[in-house]
Amino acid sequence: MQWLYERNADNSARFVLGTVGEKPLVCFGINPSTAEPNHLDRTVNIVSQVAALNGFDSFVMLNVYAQRSTDPDGLDECVRPAFKNENERQIAAFVGGRNLTLWGAWGQLVELRGYLPSLLQDIVALPEVANCSWVSRGRVTKGGHPHHPLYVKKDAPLEPFNVDPYR
């Protein structure tokens, strides 16, 4: 298995984690935790399993905000422009205008910091993701957001998800 792994020099931000393939399932969470190649956390393990169970040959984990934190409450109070800019650059480079399946999985956490909805809006508006299809698993949260992978039944299917409210 060949890995994709992009992070900053001091490992305080991770931009891309996944495996190489022709048909990846691309999952968008809120922020990365400790997962690394060959040392996945619970969330990324689920993403890998869902990809395999749904006919994808690989998976990629991306995030709305690239700051590594095992607790979302530890996220920066204010956005770091360098994290935002590099995250968007990495997302655009990976997707590259391809027709990929993007799994929205940020959950209610998108409301945790005031800057997160605008970061998500900027990601959804990237021209490189325009050809992609968005999906989610399970019912949306009370706030209308797609659930985090840890909080969905194992047998929940991937279903179309409308990202227009995030534009």
Side-chain angles (χ1 to χ4, degrees):
M1 177 179 335
Q2 190 176 4
W3 288 97
L4 299 167
Y5 187 48
E6 298 293 336
R7 59 191 174 96
N8 66 351
D10 69 1
N11 205 22
S12 61
R14 188 189 75 214
F15 307 102
V16 179
L17 173 63
T19 54
V20 175
E22 294 297 313
K23 185 183 174 191
L25 175 60
V26 181
C27 183
F28 274 88
I30 254 318
N31 75 290
S33 185
T34 60
E36 296 181 345
N38 297 313
H39 299 286
L40 305 181
D41 60 17
R42 287 180 44 220
T43 299
V44 182
N45 266 321
I46 290 171
V47 171
S48 173
Q49 292 167 6
V50 168
L53 290 171
N54 285 278
F56 295 90
D57 66 357
S58 54
F59 74 92
V60 172
M61 188 79 212
L62 303 173
N63 289 281
V64 174
Y65 191 53
Q67 180 191 358
R68 284 188 119 134
S69 179
T70 56
D71 181 353
D73 285 328
L75 288 179
D76 296 327
E77 292 294 328
C78 298
V79 69
R80 293 189 216 181
F83 282 7
K84 175 194 185 310
N85 296 338
E86 183 61 13
N87 196 42
E88 289 176 8
R89 190 189 74 71
Q90 292 276 351
I91 291 166
F94 176 76
V95 175
R98 296 181 289 166
N99 183 7
L100 300 176
T101 300
L102 307 181
W103 172 10
W106 46 83
Q108 203 66 29
L109 291 172
V110 74
E111 296 181 12
L112 182 66
R113 296 285 185 265
Y115 59 81
L116 292 171
S118 66
L119 294 182
L120 180 55
Q121 183 179 25
D122 290 348
I123 290 168
V124 170
L126 289 170
E128 292 83 359
V129 304
N131 293 327
C132 295
S133 302
W134 286 87
V135 298
S136 66
R137 289 182 67 235
R139 291 187 295 190
V140 296
T141 67
K142 289 179 183 177
H145 306 294
H147 269 290
H148 185 284
L150 292 178
Y151 308 117
V152 179
K153 291 182 180 180
K154 288 186 178 187
D155 61 348
L158 291 169
E159 299 177 7
F161 180 74
N162 181 8
V163 295
D164 286 346
Y166 299 96
R167 293 189 194 280

